[in-house]
Amino acid sequence: MKESDSSDDQGQCSSEMSFCEICMEAKAKSETRSSTSKCSHIYCSECITKYIEAKIQEKISMITCPESTCKETLEPYLCRDMISGQVLDRWENALCESSVLASHKIYCPFKDCSVLLVNDDDGVILRSTECPHCNRLFCAQCEVPWHSDLTCDDFQEIKKGGKDDMLLISLAKDQKWTRCPSCRFYVEKVQGCAHITCRYVTITIAKIDLL
């Protein structure tokens, strides 16, 4: 009778345990669960939580079952009781971003914002744009803070010039220099009105008169 009771107890204990193939340990069934709603692969909740956190850290939004041969994906709403609110938000945001076409994605260029914006207007070139999150202007075409004194073509040419040219733009902004609308050289107002007489145009006219 004692041997029979012992065998029954072992069988009951075994039926109440599941084996996690991640940590390679036997866990109580109450501590395990299927990784997805469409497959039968069982893992302990602790391992699935760490698995999800690692994938989010790797910036992977479509998280598949830990079983290497399984292609089923985990659903955020089924895992919300296992992961923190912060991880869940990052996961859902990553899924949202992955569903947007790359050509429609625009990110606010300010480092303390960097919110994702979506351009729904196909074929429309956006330039001066206000971020609805931080309310600052930026150029959606160049993906930089708004360059009010430069056209996009001028900015891209200066950008090709490297760091020194970008420092010049920063200095011009600090000193409140402006650009001549004709030759695009920076000029500084010392006195008088805001009218600019382009030296390049004057020289060209003078040469024509001499001819």
Side-chain angles (χ1 to χ4, degrees):
M1 290 293 292
K2 289 184 178 179
E3 290 182 0
S4 177
D5 290 344
S6 175
S7 176
D8 291 342
D9 289 343
Q10 288 179 358
Q12 184 177 359
C13 180
S14 176
S15 66
E16 293 176 355
M17 303 292 287
S18 292
F19 184 75
C20 175
E21 294 187 8
I22 296 179
C23 64
M24 307 298 287
E25 292 182 5
K27 297 290 183 74
K29 284 192 174 181
S30 60
E31 298 176 8
T32 62
R33 61 193 298 168
S34 299
S35 59
T36 76
S37 61
K38 297 179 181 179
C39 72
S40 58
H41 299 116
I42 305 294
Y43 303 95
C44 69
S45 299
E46 183 179 357
C47 285
I48 294 180
T49 298
K50 291 179 179 179
Y51 175 74
I52 294 171
E53 290 174 348
K55 292 297 182 182
I56 297 301
Q57 190 68 28
E58 295 171 12
K59 297 183 179 179
I60 297 174
S61 57
M62 298 297 291
I63 303 175
T64 58
C65 172
E67 169 59 47
S68 59
T69 60
C70 184
K71 302 302 180 184
E72 298 297 339
T73 57
L74 281 69
E75 300 92 345
Y77 74 94
L78 293 178
C79 303
R80 63 175 63 248
D81 62 326
M82 295 189 298
I83 57 179
S84 67
Q86 183 180 8
V87 172
L88 180 63
D89 288 343
R90 288 177 60 189
W91 189 4
E92 290 179 337
N93 288 338
L95 284 170
C96 180
E97 288 187 28
S98 66
S99 66
V100 179
L101 293 175
S103 59
H104 289 183
K105 291 181 183 179
I106 304 171
Y107 291 93
C108 176
F110 295 98
K111 292 183 179 180
D112 58 347
C113 182
S114 302
V115 70
L116 170 67
L117 308 175
V118 179
N119 179 16
D120 293 328
D121 298 322
D122 290 329
V124 177
I125 298 175
L126 296 178
R127 290 189 170 86
S128 177
T129 306
E130 181 178 340
C131 173
H133 188 261
C134 68
N135 302 117
R136 286 176 287 188
L137 282 177
F138 70 94
C139 178
Q141 184 72 11
C142 301
E143 299 180 349
V144 296
W146 179 236
H147 44 74
S148 57
D149 294 329
L150 296 170
T151 65
C152 290
D153 290 339
D154 287 340
F155 179 83
Q156 292 301 327
E157 284 298 319
I158 291 173
K159 188 176 180 180
K160 290 178 184 177
K163 185 177 180 180
D164 289 341
D165 287 343
M166 297 304 291
L167 288 173
L168 175 60
I169 292 178
S170 179
L171 177 63
K173 186 175 181 179
D174 292 339
Q175 297 296 323
K176 297 184 179 180
W177 296 344
T178 189
R179 292 170 72 91
C180 172
S182 298
C183 67
R184 310 303 296 165
F185 276 92
Y186 280 110
V187 293
E188 180 182 13
K189 178 182 175 182
V190 178
Q191 60 181 4
C193 67
H195 176 74
I196 297 175
T197 300
C198 181
R199 183 171 62 179
Y200 173 79
V201 173
T202 302
I203 293 173
T204 303
I205 292 173
K207 286 183 178 180
I208 293 173
D209 288 341
L210 288 173
L211 293 174

